[in-house]
Each structure stands twice: as structure tokens, then as C-alpha cells.
Amino acid sequence: MYYKITLRSPVRVPPNMFGTDLTNSMKDVLDKDYVGRLDSELGIIVGAIDVGEIGESYLVPGDGAAYYDAEFTLLTYKPKLQEVVEGEVREMAEFGAFLSIGPIDGLVHVSQIMDDFVNYNDKENVFGGKESKRTLKMGDVARARLVTVSKKSTLLNTKIGLTMRQPGLGALEWLEADAKGEKGDKKAPAKKEEKKEESKEEKK
């Protein structure tokens, strides 16, 4: 889940940014300092989206940069159990598919891809369902639910587990096909009833 977090902290603006727009310079500095960091309280820091009140600048002996006590807003992401997410399949392996869900990738284990027996075709890099004939391939956009979150000290070591086996989950093209199939089933009985009524009138 994404959050907007407002903080107040000194921001160091280097000499090569003097004379440029201060707000834009501070956003660049904040992005370099914060983006990609994993904080135990804030979550994964995605970017600096706003710079608010900026105090007077001050210098630190031995440092040519200017420091500003500033208020700024960060966009962060904190993975939450049972959260439903959508993302693109970015990587595939025999054991499952990796779904990009923003600042981090989640693993959909082969056993959690669909409610079917799943085969992996390593030549075509595709997962296929034996009975449903549905496939999951690179570039597909899918909807999944977070079922495990293993938080570590670094973003690289943090692991996210996903499932697509529950109702309303899976590749978006599967869900679109399901929706069309439901509409077709509703129309079919009405046509059969009309045919029966016509046949009764013909007998009379």
C-alpha cells in the first residue's frame, strides 16, 4: 500500500546546484538520498513528491554545501498481507513467475499460478494450464494477493510471496475471458425457453 509521509529534516544542497531553482534542486537531492531505501517504519521509499516550507540556509565548517531545514513529502510503499495488487510479469523461472508490483517484485510460485496442473515450457518461457489451456508469459499483467512478506534490512533481501489461485485473481486476460463467459451463460437459458414455447404453439 502506498503512503504519503511528511518529514522535516536538514537537506544538503551541493555547490554545483547553487543558482538553480531551490525546490527542484532539493527534490533531486532527496531522490538521491532516499529513493530505494528500505526503512523499518516508512517502508520502501519511492520518491520525493513535494517540498514544503524551507528554512534559512546555514553552513557547516569544512563543507562547501548549503544546508536547509526543510519540510518535504515522500511517497512510500509498505507491503501489506492480503493486499490485492496488479503488476507485470518481469521474470520467469521453472519455480514461478516474478510480478513487478511497483518498487519491488513478488514471486508467484508455480503452485500458486492457477487452480490447475501447471507445466513450464522453458523454450518458450511460458507457464500453461493442463485443463484450462491458459498461459502466463512475460509481459502479461496479472492481479495477485500478498500472502507472505519477509522483511529484511535491505530491499534486495526482502521477499514477497503472491498467489493468483483465489477468485478474481490471475492474468487480466483470464479475468476478461471469465467475465465474457458469465454473460454468455446468462443469455443461453433464455434462448432455450423461447424455443420450447415455440414448439408448444406449433403442436397446438
Side-chain angles (χ1 to χ4, degrees):
M1 191 171 291
Y2 287 92
Y3 297 88
K4 289 182 179 180
I5 307 294
T6 299
L7 302 174
R8 191 171 191 89
S9 178
V11 179
R12 179 183 183 275
V13 178
N16 65 312
M17 288 186 170
F18 292 172
T20 62
D21 182 82
L22 183 57
T23 299
N24 290 334
S25 296
M26 292 183 74
K27 281 185 179 179
D28 290 341
V29 170
L30 291 168
D31 279 340
K32 290 178 182 178
D33 289 347
Y34 286 95
V35 172
R37 283 175 51 182
L38 178 61
D39 186 274
S40 57
E41 295 184 3
L42 303 180
I44 303 167
I45 300 174
V46 180
I49 58 176
D50 185 40
V51 175
E53 182 185 349
I54 301 174
E56 294 292 329
S57 64
Y58 60 92
L59 301 176
V60 174
D63 188 345
Y67 287 79
Y68 295 86
D69 184 29
E71 185 179 88
F72 52 89
T73 302
L74 301 176
L75 179 66
T76 70
Y77 177 76
K78 296 179 72 173
K80 188 176 181 181
L81 285 175
Q82 304 307 319
E83 177 184 1
V84 175
V85 296
E86 287 188 8
E88 181 181 339
V89 177
R90 289 287 186 87
E91 187 179 347
M92 301 184 78
E94 188 175 357
F95 56 84
F98 288 92
L99 204 65
S100 175
I101 55 174
I104 194 169
D105 291 347
L107 172 65
V108 186
H109 190 267
V110 61
S111 64
Q112 298 299 313
I113 290 177
M114 63 182 81
D115 193 13
D116 194 355
F117 182 82
V118 178
N119 288 309
Y120 177 61
N121 186 326
D122 57 351
K123 291 183 179 180
E124 297 183 8
N125 207 23
V126 172
F127 285 104
K130 184 177 180 180
E131 299 295 334
S132 64
K133 305 302 180 185
R134 288 178 167 174
T135 60
L136 184 70
K137 58 187 182 300
M138 293 285 289
D140 282 352
V141 178
R143 185 178 300 157
R145 186 183 298 276
L146 273 75
V147 289
T148 61
V149 178
S150 177
K151 295 181 181 179
K152 301 296 181 181
S153 58
T154 65
L155 185 59
L156 183 63
N157 293 324
T158 297
K159 307 298 181 185
I160 303 293
L162 305 169
T163 184
M164 301 198 310
R165 291 190 61 173
Q166 299 172 357
L169 304 180
L172 296 190
E173 62 179 24
W174 306 350
L175 302 180
E176 290 173 3
D178 287 344
K180 291 178 181 178
E182 289 175 4
K183 291 179 180 179
D185 291 339
K186 290 179 181 179
K187 292 179 180 179
K191 290 181 179 179
K192 290 180 181 179
E193 289 175 3
E194 289 174 3
K195 288 181 179 179
K196 286 181 180 180
E197 290 177 1
E198 289 176 1
S199 60
K200 288 180 181 179
E201 291 178 359
E202 288 175 0
K203 288 180 181 181
K204 290 179 180 179

